[in-house]
């Protein structure tokens, strides 16, 4: 069997690993090869709303499909911030496509402490804020805010991976999810 190719809209090893693992689990009979691409989100470096974060994932997905038109699957992640029901949270949107069907889903939100929310709302980006507060370097390419604030019980890769696995259900069972019904 030839390899299936997943194009990932990032060079971040956390996002690449999440895409590879979710697809390998969802389609265990297929050997996977990933190709990473730096593509624009078309939104702010730190998206500050649910809508902006979702749009960033969709923009990355569209740019990715243009950059690598021969891939079997395309995956884009976009992390963002918003006050959900008044609570400051970070979350991610995951967009996936096989060129015919596209699915987009939001991860579970992680509540953020007020000190972090204040800095994000003042214009800073989450990764550098976390690095500064926790005396770390490049947290976003490791466990992220999720890893630190859950004491290592979860991390960015596991959250992205789980969200992507859920979005892959229609690809696994296309007969149950007709394209015209989505």
């Amino acid at each position: 069997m030839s390899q299936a190719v997943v194009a990932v809209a990032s060079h971040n090893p956390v996002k690449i690993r999440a895409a590879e693992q979710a697809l390998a689990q969802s389609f265990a009979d297929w050997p996977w090869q990933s190709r990473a691409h730096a593509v624009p989100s078309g939104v702010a470096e730190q998206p500050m709303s649910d809508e902006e974060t979702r749009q960033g994932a969709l923009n990355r997905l569209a740019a990715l499909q243009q950059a690598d038109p021969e891939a079997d699957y395309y995956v884009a992640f976009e992390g963002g911030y918003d006050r959900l029901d008044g609570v400051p949270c970070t979350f991610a949107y995951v967009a996936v496509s096989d060129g015919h069907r596209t699915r987009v889903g939001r991860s579970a939100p992680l509540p953020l402490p007020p000190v972090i929310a204040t800095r994000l709302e003042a214009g800073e980006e989450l990764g550098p804020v976390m690095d500064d507060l926790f005396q770390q370097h490049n947290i976003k390419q490791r466990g992220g805010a999720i890893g630190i604030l859950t004491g290592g019980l979860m991390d960015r890769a596991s959250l992205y991976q789980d969200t992507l696995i859920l979005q892959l259900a229609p690809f696994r069972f296309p007969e149950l999810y007709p394209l015209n019904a989505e």
Side-chain angles (χ1 to χ4, degrees):
M1 172 183 278
S2 64
Q3 286 190 325
V5 174
V6 57
V8 182
S10 181
H11 286 287
N12 184 324
V14 168
K15 294 177 180 181
I16 295 166
R17 184 173 64 252
E20 289 172 344
Q21 290 177 349
L23 285 158
Q25 287 180 287
S26 296
F27 302 104
D29 294 340
W30 300 1
W32 287 93
Q33 172 194 2
S34 62
R35 294 195 294 241
H37 299 273
V39 294
S41 69
V43 299
E45 193 69 28
Q46 177 62 68
M48 294 298 290
S49 72
D50 187 80
E51 297 82 16
E52 184 181 21
T53 308
R54 184 178 193 280
Q55 191 60 55
L58 286 169
N59 291 348
R60 286 187 195 277
L61 188 67
L64 182 62
Q65 289 174 303
Q66 294 293 317
D68 194 347
E70 300 301 317
D72 297 297
Y73 278 83
Y74 304 88
V75 178
F77 303 95
E78 188 71 28
Y81 168 84
D82 203 348
R83 287 186 175 263
L84 305 176
D85 295 323
V87 178
C89 294
T90 186
F91 50 85
Y93 268 92
V94 178
V96 59
S97 179
D98 64 0
H100 304 287
R101 176 187 308 269
T102 298
R103 298 292 306 154
V104 183
R106 189 181 78 196
S107 73
L110 170 69
L112 292 174
V115 64
I116 294 172
T118 299
R119 290 180 65 178
L120 295 179
E121 291 170 1
E124 293 185 64
E125 187 182 346
L126 181 58
V129 169
M130 294 300 295
D131 286 347
D132 180 52
L133 285 176
F134 290 93
Q135 307 291 296
Q136 304 271 331
H137 176 70
N138 210 6
I139 284 173
K140 68 182 187 178
Q141 290 199 0
R142 294 194 315 266
I146 296 162
I148 289 188
L149 295 174
T150 65
L153 296 175
M154 291 187 71
D155 62 19
R156 283 181 86 197
S158 64
L159 186 73
Y160 291 165
Q161 181 179 337
D162 290 349
T163 304
L164 179 53
I165 286 171
L166 295 174
Q167 296 311 306
L168 288 170
F171 298 91
R172 295 188 68 214
F173 296 98
E175 68 280 4
L176 298 176
Y177 296 88
L179 280 172
N180 59 359
E182 291 185 351

